[in-house]
C-alpha cells in the first residue's frame, strides 16, 4: 500500500504542478465571475449615442410610423431621425448618408450608425434595406425587424381602412415568465438559466472525462515506451501500479473540478453581495440567467465524475497497455472516445424530458450515467432511491472495467512488438 501511495502521489503532483493545470484552475473561476458580472455591468450602463436615419423616399406617413416603432423596439438610448426626400434623388442621398456611417470627427461629417431605406417600389414588394456599421448584432437586428414589421403592418391596415387603434389594442404584446419549481418550492430560476447550467455541466464532464482519461493512457504508454514499468513492477503488482495511476490522475481532476464547482456555488449563492462590491443593484445581477449551484448538486456532480473517471480511465489505461506508441493509441482509443461522445450527445435528449423513460434508461447504463445523471439532477432532482441505484450501477460498471483493464494491463505493459488482436486480448483477460 505504501508503494501504491507513492505512485498516487507522483501522478497527482506531476499534474498539479504544471503551469497548464494552475492556469486552467484559476482561469475557470475568473471566467465564471466575468460571465456573471460583465452582463450586469453592461446592462447597468446601457447603450448610448446610437444614431439611425430613416430615409423616406416618398412613402409619406410610413417614415414617421417607422420612427415611432423603432424608438419603441430598440433597447437603450437610440436616436431615430427621419430624412424625407424624393425617390428620384434616392441614390444620391443614400450615397451621401452612407459616407457618414462610422465617420470620424476629422472628416467633418456627422457620424451615424445605420440607414433604413424606405423606397415605395421596394416597400410594395415587401422589401426594406438597412445599411449599418454593425449588422452582426443579433439583438439590434431582431429589434429592427420587429419595429419595421409593426410599422408595415400598421401601414397596410390603414390602407385597408381598418381602425388601427383597435388592432393595436387587441394585439398588445405580452411577456411570459418562467420559473422552476423544485420540491413544491419556487426557486427563482428561469428556464434559460436551468438549461444553461445543465449544458455547462454536461460539457465540463465530457471534457474532463476525455482529458483526464487520455492523460492516464499517455502516462501508461510513456512508461511502457521507456521501459520504466519493468522496473516498477519488480517492486509492486501491476494492478497496484494501474490503480495508483488512476487514483493519482483522478485526484488531480477532482481537485480542479471541485475548485470550479465550489467557486460557482459561492458566486451564485452570494451574487447579490458580489454585486454590491461593484456598485451594482442586486436586481441587475439577479436578472442575469445564472442559476444557483447548490451543495447537493455539487456533490452529485463530483461523485458521478469520479465514477465516470474510474470507468473510462480504466478503459484508456487498457488501451495504453496494448499499444507501443502514442500514434497507435490514437486509433485504438477511438471506441472509448466515441462512447464518451455518444454519452454527451445523449444529454441533448435528456434536456427535453429529464424525467422521461429514455432519461431513466440512460441513467442505468454505466457508460452514460456519469454524464446523464448530473444533468438530470440539475433540471429536476432525482428521488434518492433512483440516484443511489444509478450510482451503484455505475460503480459496478467501473469496478468491472477496472478489473478487466487490470488483467490486460498485467500482460500488456510487458508486451512489445506487434499490437495484439482481439483474440490475444481475450486470452490476456482469461490468463490474468
Amino acid at each position: 500500500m505504501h508503494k501504491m501511495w507513492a505512485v498516487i502521489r507522483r501522478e497527482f503532483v506531476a499534474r498539479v504542478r504544471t503551469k497548464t493545470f494552475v492556469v486552467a484552475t484559476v482561469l475557470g473561476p475568473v471566467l465564471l465571475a466575468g460571465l456573471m458580472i460583465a452582463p450586469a455591468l453592461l446592462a447597468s450602463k446601457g447603450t448610448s449615442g446610437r444614431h439611425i436615419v430613416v430615409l423616406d423616399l416618398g412613402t409619406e406617413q410610413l417614415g414617421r410610423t417607422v420612427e415611432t416603432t423603432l424608438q419603441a423596439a430598440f433597447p437603450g438610448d437610440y436616436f431615430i431621425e427621419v430624412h424625407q426626400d424624393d425617390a428620384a434623388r434616392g441614390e444620391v442621398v443614400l450615397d451621401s448618408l452612407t459616407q457618414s456611417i462610422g465617420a470620424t470627427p476629422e472628416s467633418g461629417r456627422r457620424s451615424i450608425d445605420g440607414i433604413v431605406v424606405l423606397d415605395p417600389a421596394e416597400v410594395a414588394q415587401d422589401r426594406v434595406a438597412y445599411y449599418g456599421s454593425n449588422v452582426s448584432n443579433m439583438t439590434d437586428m431582431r429589434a429592427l425587424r420587429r419595429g419595421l414589421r409593426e410599422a408595415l403592418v400598421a401601414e397596410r391596415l390603414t390602407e385597408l381602412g381598418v381602425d388601427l387603434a383597435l388592432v393595436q389594442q387587441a394585439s398588445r404584446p405580452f411577456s411570459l415568465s418562467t420559473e422552476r419549481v423544485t420540491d413544491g418550492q419556487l426557486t427563482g430560476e428561469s428556464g434559460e438559466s436551468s438549461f444553461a447550467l445543465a449544458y455547462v455541466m454536461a460539457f465540463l464532464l465530457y471534457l474532463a472525462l476525455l482529458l483526464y482519461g487520455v492523460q492516464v493512457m499517455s502516462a501508461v504508454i510513456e512508461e511502457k515506451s521507456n521501459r520504466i514499468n519493468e522496473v516498477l513492477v519488480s517492486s509492486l503488482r501491476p494492478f497496484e501500479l494501474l490503480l495508483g495511476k488512476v487514483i493519482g490522475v483522478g485526484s488531480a481532476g477532482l481537485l480542479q473540478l471541485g475548485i470550479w464547482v465550489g467557486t460557482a456555488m459561492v458566486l451564485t449563492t452570494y451574487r447579490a453581495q458580489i454585486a454590491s462590491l461593484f456598485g451594482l443593484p442586486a436586481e441587475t445581477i439577479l436578472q442575469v440567467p445564472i442559476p444557483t449551484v447548490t451543495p447537493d448538486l455539487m456533490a452529485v456532480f463530483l461523485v458521478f465524475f469520479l465514477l465516470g473517471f474510474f470507468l473510462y480511465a480504466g478503459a484508456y489505461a487498457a488501451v495504453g497497455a496494448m499499444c507501443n506508441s502514442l500514434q497507435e493509441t490514437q486509433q485504438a482509443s477511438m471506441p472509448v472516445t466515441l462512447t464518451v461522445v455518444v454519452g454527451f450527445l445523449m444529454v441533448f435528449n435528456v434536456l427535453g424530458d429529464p424525467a422521461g423513460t429514455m432519461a431513466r434508461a440512460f441513467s442505468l447504463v454505466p457508460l452514460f450515467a456519469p454524464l446523464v445523471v448530473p444533468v438530470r439532477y440539475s433540471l429536476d432532482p432525482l428521488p434518492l432511491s433512483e440516484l443511489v441505484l444509478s450510482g451503484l450501477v455505475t460503480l459496478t460498471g467501473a469496478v468491472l472495467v477496472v478489473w478487466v483493464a487490470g488483467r490486460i494491463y498485467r500482460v500488456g505493459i510487458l508486451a512489445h512488438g506487434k499490437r495484439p488482436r482481439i483474440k490475444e486480448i481475450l486470452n490476456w483477460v482469461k490468463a490474468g
Side-chain angles (χ1 to χ4, degrees), residues 51 55 126 175 192 221 240 267-268 278 326 400 412 423:
H51 184 185
L55 179 57
D126 300 326
S175 62
E192 294 85 356
I221 196 65
E240 292 177 338
L267 288 176
T268 56
F278 290 86
L326 287 173
L400 179 62
K423 186 176 181 181

Side-chain angles (χ1 to χ4, degrees), residues 108-320:
R109 289 179 171 272
R110 184 182 57 168
S111 177
I112 61 176
D113 295 287
I115 308 167
V116 175
V117 182
L118 301 176
D119 188 327
E122 295 293 312
V123 171
Q125 299 296 322
D126 300 326
R127 291 196 296 263
V128 178
Y130 174 76
Y131 306 95
S133 56
N134 182 8
V135 294
S136 59
N137 188 318
M138 294 297 102
T139 302
D140 282 2
M141 294 305 102
R142 281 195 298 268
L144 180 64
R145 290 189 183 93
R146 183 171 66 252
L148 289 172
R149 181 174 62 248
E150 292 176 2
L152 292 174
V153 168
E155 182 73 9
R156 293 165 186 163
L157 290 174
T158 301
E159 292 176 356
L160 293 173
V162 178
D163 189 338
L164 185 58
L166 292 176
V167 174
Q168 289 176 339
Q169 183 179 0
S171 58
R172 289 194 311 272
F174 69 94
S175 62
L176 174 66
S177 62
T178 59
E179 188 171 346
R180 178 181 167 188
V181 177
T182 302
D183 296 330
Q185 300 293 326
L186 294 175
T187 63
E189 297 175 8
S190 66
E192 294 85 356
S193 62
S194 298
F195 177 85
L197 176 63
Y199 183 83
V200 170
M201 288 182 62
F203 183 75
L204 279 179
L205 286 168
Y206 163 74
L207 200 62
L209 290 176
L210 278 183
L211 290 179
Y212 286 105
V214 169
Q215 284 189 25
V216 172
M217 181 178 67
S218 300
V220 171
I221 196 65
E222 181 182 358
E223 291 183 355
K224 183 177 179 180
S225 301
N226 298 333
R227 297 185 181 271
I228 298 175
N229 50 20
E230 296 179 10
V231 178
L232 294 173
V233 295
S234 64
S235 58
L236 72 166
R237 291 182 298 172
F239 185 76
E240 292 177 338
L241 180 60
L242 169 65
L243 201 58
K245 288 183 176 297
V246 172
I247 294 176
V249 177
S251 299
L254 188 64
L255 173 64
Q256 188 175 64
L257 286 180
I259 292 174
W260 288 353
V261 180
T263 303
M265 185 176 67
V266 172
L267 288 176
T268 56
T269 303
Y270 300 101
R271 52 182 166 176
Q273 290 84 342
I274 294 172
S276 64
L277 296 177
F278 290 86
L280 296 171
E283 296 76 14
T284 303
I285 200 166
L286 290 174
Q287 290 175 357
V288 179
I290 297 179
T292 302
V293 178
T294 57
D296 57 327
L297 177 59
M298 176 181 174
V300 170
F301 178 86
L302 295 178
V303 166
F304 275 88
F305 160 73
L306 203 57
L307 292 174
F309 171 77
F310 270 94
L311 192 152
Y312 284 105
Y316 275 114
V319 171

